[in-house]
Amino acid sequence: MRVTIADVAREAGVSKTTVSRVVNAKGEVDGATAARVREVIAQLGYVPSSGAVGLARGSSRTVGMLVPSLTWPWMGEVLQGVVDTVEAADYGLLLFTCNRGAESVRRFTGQVSARAFDGLLVVEPENTLDHLTALHRGGLPIVLIDDRGHHPEFPSVVTTNREGGASAARHLLAAGRTRPLVVTGPRHFGCVRDRLDGFRAALPTDLVVHGDFTERSGRLAVEQLLASGAQFDSVFAHNDISAAGVLRALRAAGRSVPDDIAVVGFDDIPMAEHTEPPLTTVRQPTRRMGETAARLLLSHLGGTPVPDAPVVLPTELVVRHSAP
């Protein structure tokens, strides 16, 4: 059944006239009320009729953000960077997730058609890059956060994944570690390839287990390698969650960290300070990634040309007790 303007008004607790004013960016509507109406529009998947889509004649002063899920460990920091920047510019934010797969994408596409927002920030959900590229070619301003090596034709903000992997390797090598195990993320991600290539360029190793960024994959990698009798004196895990699984497996096996085996992660999510022992890791500037992407998009909406090349932010090695 088609969602109507009356449905939106009832759910938002406002009149149909107020909804119409928000949709068409006409008349005075309190900012908080307008934000609530737009949120309900997104939740219900309301698509105004062509006669109601007055937003085409002006600006909604709203930015959309599309993400795979809010459960990703570093998503909160990225989102906070976006919110701080967008709100400071007196814009609103509509947040879309892909928790429900194709249904989520359909609802999101409906909001694009309704011109509910002026531009889009994206942490790319799986298998959506072609769709996003088509939207960009159709005139929707888009900035991608963490392009995972996909190099889209629209602007993106990335970090130095290759150098991050190399910095982890150099640190382990300086500590006398020469037999490293690497636990990667999904191998089809460009950032995973970059981290592995950077690490191997500084500290060659053939002891590589391909994981999926989960705690379980880090734990199983270590359990399997120890059971096989493989010898390693250090582990570089491609994110902090899998590094936590590495630490758990080593502790269960009676191996001392860092005396027997040193461990380095990647990301520096808040949990990294509170593992046992605290985790040495490669910090990604996740909040700054959100801030930078939001500034790029807002500048573009203001008429400033965006850079052709990705904006690259540096990673940083953070040394703690797991690999001093």
Side-chain angles (χ1 to χ4, degrees):
M1 182 180 297
R2 179 182 175 86
V3 178
T4 68
I5 194 171
D7 297 326
V8 175
R10 183 170 54 253
E11 185 69 22
V14 299
S15 68
K16 289 189 290 184
T17 300
T18 298
V19 176
S20 178
R21 286 173 175 169
V22 172
V23 167
N24 288 284
K26 283 186 173 182
E28 294 295 328
V29 179
D30 173 75
T33 301
R36 184 167 73 252
V37 170
R38 292 191 186 102
E39 182 178 355
V40 170
I41 286 172
Q43 290 173 347
L44 297 182
Y46 172 60
V47 180
S49 65
S50 58
V53 185
L55 292 177
R57 295 191 292 271
S59 167
S60 69
R61 293 199 67 81
T62 299
V63 168
M65 186 170 181
L66 176 66
V67 303
S69 170
L70 295 179
T71 61
W72 284 23
W74 48 263
M75 190 64 72
E77 284 294 298
V78 171
L79 183 57
Q80 191 62 58
V82 168
V83 169
D84 290 345
T85 305
V86 166
E87 289 186 348
D90 198 28
Y91 270 70
L93 181 70
L94 275 178
L95 181 63
F96 304 91
T97 68
C98 280
N99 290 322
R100 302 178 72 176
E103 180 182 346
S104 297
V105 173
R106 281 195 299 272
R107 287 197 171 190
F108 162 73
T109 302
Q111 295 308 301
V112 176
S113 301
R115 308 288 181 90
F117 48 85
D118 301 327
L120 181 67
L121 298 164
V122 180
V123 178
E124 181 200 342
E126 286 287 313
N127 303 315
T128 59
L129 186 58
D130 289 346
H131 182 54
L132 295 170
T133 300
L135 292 176
H136 169 71
R137 290 174 179 171
L140 179 66
I142 298 177
V143 177
L144 186 63
I145 303 170
D146 183 26
D147 72 5
R148 301 183 215 159
H150 289 168
H151 309 302
E153 62 185 52
F154 44 85
S156 62
V157 176
V158 301
T159 58
T160 53
N161 284 292
R162 184 181 179 91
E163 172 55 28
S167 68
R170 289 194 297 266
H171 180 71
L172 291 173
L173 191 58
R177 311 286 178 160
T178 59
R179 300 188 308 278
L181 160 66
V182 180
V183 182
T184 78
R187 67 181 78 193
H188 62 280
F189 283 178
C191 63
V192 168
R193 295 191 296 271
D194 288 345
R195 291 172 195 179
L196 180 58
D197 290 347
F199 187 92
R200 279 174 154 171
L203 181 54
T205 182
D206 291 325
L207 200 57
V208 176
V209 176
H210 293 284
D212 59 5
F213 284 149
T214 62
E215 189 273 349
R216 182 176 182 271
S217 70
R219 177 168 46 83
L220 289 180
V222 169
E223 289 174 351
Q224 291 167 3
L225 266 292
L226 290 176
S228 73
Q231 298 296 310
F232 54 97
D233 59 13
S234 52
V235 181
F236 172 45
H238 275 192
N239 75 338
D240 294 340
I241 295 295
S242 56
V246 168
L247 291 173
R248 180 180 175 186
L250 291 172
R251 185 166 54 250
R255 303 297 179 94
S256 173
V257 177
D259 294 340
D260 297 332
I261 299 174
V263 179
V264 179
F266 206 106
D267 285 337
D268 196 29
I269 62 175
M271 178 204 74
E273 290 188 84
H274 305 292
T275 56
E276 182 55 47
L279 186 64
T280 292
T281 187
V282 179
R283 175 181 293 159
Q284 290 204 94
T286 47
R287 183 173 297 202
R288 191 174 158 205
M289 291 166 69
E291 293 169 350
T292 302
R295 282 198 301 269
L296 277 178
L297 182 59
L298 293 174
S299 295
H300 179 50
L301 295 177
T304 302
V306 293
D308 294 330
V311 175
V312 182
L313 302 179
T315 52
E316 175 190 2
L317 184 71
V318 179
V319 178
R320 298 192 180 99
H321 298 310
S322 71

